[in-house]
């Protein structure tokens, strides 16, 4: 049995979060009535000229800086010619020989915990281009309906080197890229709405062979799960085809989520020859050092740097730091909570954000941005655990009360609902005396050597304090009295 | 370098231009004439000269990212051959 090596490269179309289109002043808002956001430039009326959107270029520069790529001082727009009804000009304005971003890299983590490994995926380039419109193939009396609202929406196409060796690596890369473009605020990352679409170039070769096998390109993967399924299917299909004596023909394929299979869309025979040439309607895009440096100074701290800082400043494990830097929202939330609770409570803050808050959000199907408990409120709650005002158990009650809007802060709820931990020894002793008097049988059992009876007495005592006493303190006092 | 008749037909197909055999022949002659001109230009020594992407040595002007357009769908669709539910209708295309 031959050993096969899988080779994957990924192209991602990232829809940039601009207000207006890349070459016109039409809105890019999603979900509008068909064709109400398509102006003369977008529908390609004769005589119109494209004017480049500075906001789209800003996004490209931010991306270039985030992946440590070269931001090209000069890049050129080219026409990519093909005919399709949702491309009214007959060409797509893209970049070909001189893209705006050259090189760069994205680091991915594979596996979790102690067995986690890191890998660098190198980028070839990233270029600016316009999106096409949408074809609706539902039946309009045997015709196709065209909506050009999306035509001219700015895209950044990000292309990797063929660096990935499994579907797991491909998905890890796609997830890392997805998190990064959202982090630096250039894309909303909404995959259902098509804001982040991946094409995977997949080939196989006998292990040890230098030359790449013939690749097939799986188009338009709009979920991480589909990406995994599509690549896994494609790989086993290619291996089976070759082992059965067949040959792989270069082709574009589509993944059908219903059957879990990929099928060829067009073969090399009728592959497009795009006849690229520099667009005479657009001059070269010049980006000077000043613009790049201004952008650099406005960049947020990037995930990798933030993760290192979380580990150093807050003494968090790599796992915790990774989880808390999985998005800018969660990282900001965490830091805002720690700012209130204090650095000494950084670890409990991490637990509350990753465990309790995450579980509660999950239960209500809410996103962090919609959390009824703010970071400041959660920080205030953790602070009261840290200074022994309340126990962890009571804290869960206070958290629920904050979630339900029963008070503006943990302090207010603790005060209003009388949840303050009883630390006064005298008060606890009085309660314990009552418990001992009411449970003579248990006391006798304990004295007869049954340790279990002691635990039952602790339980009774905690119940008498309505959970407001420190369990350890109750334990000690009880032992003293029985001793 | 000169083109073949087959290449002319392929380019015509890519450009969705229908040409007769006679037109293909005469187009071949025209295009080869252009190639001759290009060959003459290629004889010029351009070593060390950066290719220009545009005839004018200027930089692209940029516009601020702002929505400046109104909805003019009705005016545009008034001259479209066929529309329905706000969509332009075209002969069915399934790839």
């Amino acid at each position: 049995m031959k050993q096969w090596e899988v080779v994957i490269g990924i192209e991602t179309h990232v829809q940039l979060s601009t207000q207006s289109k890349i070459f016109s002043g039409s809105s890019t808002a999603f979900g509008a009535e068909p064709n109400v956001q398509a102006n003369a430039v977008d529908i390609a009326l004769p005589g119109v000229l494209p004017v480049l959107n500075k906001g789209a270029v800003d996004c490209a520069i931010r991306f270039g800086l985030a992946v440590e790529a070269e931001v090209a001082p000069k890049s050129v727009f080219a026409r990519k010619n093909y005919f399709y009804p949702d491309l009214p000009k007959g060409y797509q304005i893209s970049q070909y020989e001189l893209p705006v971003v050259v090189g760069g890299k994205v680091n991915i983590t594979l596996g979790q915990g102690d067995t986690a490994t890191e890998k660098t995926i190198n980028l070839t380039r990233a270029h600016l281009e316009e999106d096409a419109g949408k074809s609706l193939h539902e039946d309009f009396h045997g015709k196709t309906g065209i909506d050009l609202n999306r035509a001219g929406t700015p895209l950044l196409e990000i292309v990797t080197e063929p660096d990935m060796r499994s579907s797991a690596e491909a998905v890890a890369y796609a997830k890392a890229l997805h998190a990064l473009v959202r982090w630096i605020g250039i894309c909303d990352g909404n995959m259902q709405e098509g804001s982040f679409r991946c094409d995977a170039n997949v080939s196989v070769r006998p292990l040890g062979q230098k030359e790449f096998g013939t690749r097939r390109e799986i188009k338009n993967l709009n979920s991480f799960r589909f990406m995994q399924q599509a690549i896994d299917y494609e790989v086993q299909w290619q291996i089976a085809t070759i082992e059965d004596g067949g040959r792989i023909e270069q082709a574009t394929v589509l993944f059908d989520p219903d059957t879990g299979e990929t099928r060829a869309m067009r073969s090399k025979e009728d592959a497009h020859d795009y006849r690229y040439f520099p667009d005479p309607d657009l001059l070269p895009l010049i980006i000077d050092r000043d613009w790049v440096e201004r952008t650099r100074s406005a960049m947020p701290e990037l995930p990798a740097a933030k993760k290192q800082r979380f580990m150093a400043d807050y003494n968090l494990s790599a796992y915790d730091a990774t989880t808390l830097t999985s998005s800018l929202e969660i990282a900001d939330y965490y830091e805002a909570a720690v700012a209130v609770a204090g650095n000494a409570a950084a670890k409990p803050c991490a637990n509350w954000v990753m465990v309790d808050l995450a579980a509660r959000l999950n239960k209500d199907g809410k996103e962090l941005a919609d959390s009824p408990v703010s970071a400041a409120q959660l920080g205030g709650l953790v602070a009261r655990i840290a200074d022994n005002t309340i126990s962890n158990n009571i804290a869960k009650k206070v958290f629920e009360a904050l979630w339900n809007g029963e008070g503006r802060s943990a302090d207010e709820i603790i005060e209003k609902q009388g949840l303050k931990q009883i630390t006064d020894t005298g008060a606890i002793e009085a309660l314990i005396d009552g418990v001992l008097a009411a449970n003579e049988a248990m006391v006798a059992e304990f004295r007869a050597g049954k340790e279990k009876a002691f635990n039952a007495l602790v339980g009774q005592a905690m119940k008498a304090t309505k959970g407001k006493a420190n369990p350890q303190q109750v334990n000690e006092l009880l032992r003293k009295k029985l001793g | 370098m000169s083109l073949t008749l087959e290449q002319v037909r392929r380019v015509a197909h890519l450009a969705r231009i229908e040409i007769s055999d006679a037109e293909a022949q005469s187009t071949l002659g025209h295009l080869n004439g252009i190639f001759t001109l290009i060959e003459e230009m290629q004889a010029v020594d351009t070593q060390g000269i950066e290719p220009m992407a545009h005839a004018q040595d200027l930089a692209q002007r940029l516009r601020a990212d702002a929505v400046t357009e109104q909805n003019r769908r009705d005016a545009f669709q008034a001259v479209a051959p066929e529309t329905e539910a706000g969509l332009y209708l075209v002969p069915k295309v399934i790839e």
Side-chain angles (χ1 to χ4, degrees):
Chain A
M1 206 50 184
K2 217 184 239 173
Q3 289 277 311
W4 294 93
E5 183 176 46
V6 178
V7 177
I8 304 165
I10 291 182
E11 294 166 20
T12 309
H13 287 93
V14 168
Q15 186 180 314
L16 301 175
S17 308
T18 55
Q19 298 299 305
S20 64
K21 294 189 178 176
I22 185 167
F23 297 118
S24 87
S26 300
S27 169
T28 55
F30 181 83
E33 283 257 300
N35 291 305
V36 298
Q37 292 172 181
N39 79 344
V41 172
D42 309 322
I43 69 171
L45 291 189
V48 296
L49 284 173
V51 187
L52 183 57
N53 181 346
K54 182 171 183 290
V57 181
D58 277 324
C59 291
I61 298 174
R62 286 169 80 81
F63 180 74
L65 292 172
V67 296
E68 296 172 44
E70 183 207 344
V71 176
K74 176 179 165 183
S75 63
V76 170
F77 286 93
R79 291 186 180 180
K80 177 180 179 178
N81 298 279
Y82 67 93
F83 289 97
Y84 207 71
D86 56 25
L87 185 76
K89 288 194 298 299
Y91 59 85
Q92 176 192 28
I93 304 179
S94 181
Q95 296 189 302
Y96 189 54
E97 285 175 319
L98 296 173
V100 64
V101 172
V102 181
K105 59 188 170 64
V106 172
N107 291 319
I108 60 171
T109 305
L110 298 155
Q112 272 189 3
D114 298 339
T115 56
T117 53
E118 299 239 327
K119 179 168 176 171
T120 297
I121 307 301
N122 292 292
L123 302 182
T124 312
R125 59 188 276 161
H127 63 255
L128 284 165
E129 64 182 26
E130 59 178 343
D131 207 344
K134 241 182 200 157
S135 298
L136 298 146
H137 300 295
E138 294 98 78
D139 199 21
F140 292 102
H141 336 289
K143 302 213 165 186
T144 292
I146 304 293
D147 176 6
L148 297 173
N149 280 348
R150 203 181 62 184
T153 298
L155 302 176
L156 190 66
E157 180 174 337
I158 300 159
V159 184
T160 73
E161 293 288 302
D163 280 355
M164 288 149 278
R165 293 291 174 269
S166 66
S167 59
E169 289 187 11
V171 169
Y173 163 76
K175 284 185 174 171
L177 184 67
H178 183 254
L180 183 65
V181 296
R182 289 177 64 225
W183 187 287
I184 60 174
I186 66 167
C187 173
D188 66 18
N190 190 323
M191 296 176 83
Q192 272 89 48
E193 292 176 5
S195 297
F196 188 93
R197 325 192 278 269
C198 294
D199 304 338
N201 283 293
V202 181
S203 66
V204 297
R205 63 180 170 189
L207 194 64
Q209 179 182 306
K210 270 222 172 75
E211 302 78 37
F212 291 126
T214 305
R215 65 171 195 259
R216 303 214 307 167
E217 180 179 19
I218 314 170
K219 279 275 182 198
N220 272 331
L221 296 165
N222 64 356
S223 92
F224 299 125
R225 193 161 56 88
F226 290 166
M227 175 182 272
Q228 177 111 35
Q229 290 174 2
I231 293 174
D232 286 343
Y233 177 84
E234 179 64 23
V235 165
Q236 63 86 13
W237 182 87
Q238 289 189 14
I239 292 172
T241 301
I242 298 170
E243 286 182 343
D244 288 350
R247 279 186 46 195
I248 304 299
E249 300 282 343
Q250 195 174 332
T252 303
V253 304
L254 281 180
F255 175 68
D256 182 345
D258 294 330
T259 61
E261 296 178 0
T262 53
R263 90 190 135 72
M265 202 165 116
R266 40 175 125 99
S267 70
K268 203 184 172 190
E269 256 37 46
D270 51 12
H272 295 297
D273 178 341
Y274 293 119
R275 293 156 295 143
Y276 281 98
F277 64 89
D279 190 332
D281 287 345
L282 289 156
L283 289 156
L285 168 61
I286 305 296
I287 300 172
D288 61 27
R289 278 294 107 193
D290 270 10
W291 190 359
V292 175
E293 291 315 313
R294 276 199 313 277
T295 310
R296 193 193 303 277
S297 62
M299 291 283 282
E301 182 181 28
L302 293 172
K306 202 181 277 283
K307 178 184 158 187
Q308 291 306 321
R309 186 168 61 77
F310 278 13
M311 289 168 71
D313 289 6
Y314 303 136
N315 215 8
L316 298 181
S317 69
Y319 177 79
D320 288 357
T322 302
T323 307
L324 292 169
T325 53
S326 56
S327 76
L328 192 56
E329 289 89 0
I330 192 170
D332 284 349
Y333 187 100
Y334 172 68
E335 286 214 276
V338 173
V340 173
N343 274 18
K347 175 60 185 164
C349 273
N351 290 341
W352 273 89
V353 172
M354 294 189 306
V355 182
D356 303 89
L357 177 64
R360 196 64 185 82
L361 288 168
N362 198 25
K363 191 176 157 198
D364 277 23
K366 279 191 157 78
E367 295 295 325
L368 183 59
D370 311 317
S371 171
V373 181
S374 72
Q377 287 174 324
L378 188 71
L381 173 64
V382 176
R384 293 294 86 86
I385 308 168
D387 68 11
N388 280 321
T389 305
I390 52 172
S391 67
N392 235 324
N393 271 337
I394 294 291
K396 289 185 199 301
K397 272 193 201 168
V398 177
F399 176 79
E400 194 58 29
L402 281 171
W403 183 276
N404 295 326
E406 290 167 32
R408 277 163 307 177
S409 68
D411 284 340
E412 189 187 310
I413 290 164
I414 292 164
E415 184 63 41
K416 222 163 50 183
Q417 306 193 5
L419 298 172
K420 205 167 169 190
Q421 190 156 271
I422 310 167
T423 46
D424 173 11
T425 312
I428 299 174
E429 278 188 52
L431 286 166
I432 289 178
D433 287 340
V435 168
L436 293 181
N439 295 281
E440 279 173 4
M442 276 190 218
V443 175
E445 274 179 41
F446 173 73
R447 295 233 153 93
K450 281 195 179 164
E451 191 62 22
K452 255 190 188 164
F454 181 76
N455 293 336
L457 285 167
V458 172
Q460 289 297 321
M462 285 305 291
K463 205 168 151 192
T465 65
K466 298 197 178 72
K468 289 188 288 184
N470 179 330
Q472 206 186 329
Q473 199 179 2
V474 169
N475 216 302
E476 280 164 15
L477 289 171
L478 195 59
R479 244 241 203 246
K480 208 170 81 189
K481 283 197 181 290
L482 289 169
Chain B
M1 162 180 187
S2 65
L3 286 175
T4 64
L5 201 58
E6 197 37 56
Q7 285 170 318
V8 171
R9 289 213 174 89
R10 172 153 170 76
V11 172
H13 171 73
L14 285 169
R16 301 295 186 271
I17 297 171
E18 190 180 344
I19 51 170
S20 66
D21 288 348
E23 282 170 322
Q25 272 300 346
S26 74
T27 305
L28 176 64
H30 290 311
L31 287 175
N32 278 336
I34 294 171
F35 273 100
T36 310
L37 185 66
I38 291 170
E39 265 162 36
E40 275 175 44
M41 291 196 287
Q42 275 177 338
V44 179
D45 181 13
T46 54
Q47 191 110 50
I49 298 173
E50 200 187 327
M52 292 173 76
H54 199 276
Q56 284 180 293
D57 193 13
L58 297 168
Q60 176 61 39
R61 272 184 60 186
L62 303 168
R63 38 168 265 276
D65 177 26
V67 176
T68 54
E69 293 294 316
Q70 307 291 318
N71 170 22
R72 294 179 60 205
R73 184 177 75 181
D74 289 348
F76 294 146
Q77 297 202 334
V79 292
E82 202 176 348
T83 61
E84 187 176 311
L87 298 162
Y88 295 93
L89 294 193
V90 300
K92 195 159 192 97
V93 274
I94 292 270
E95 196 162 14

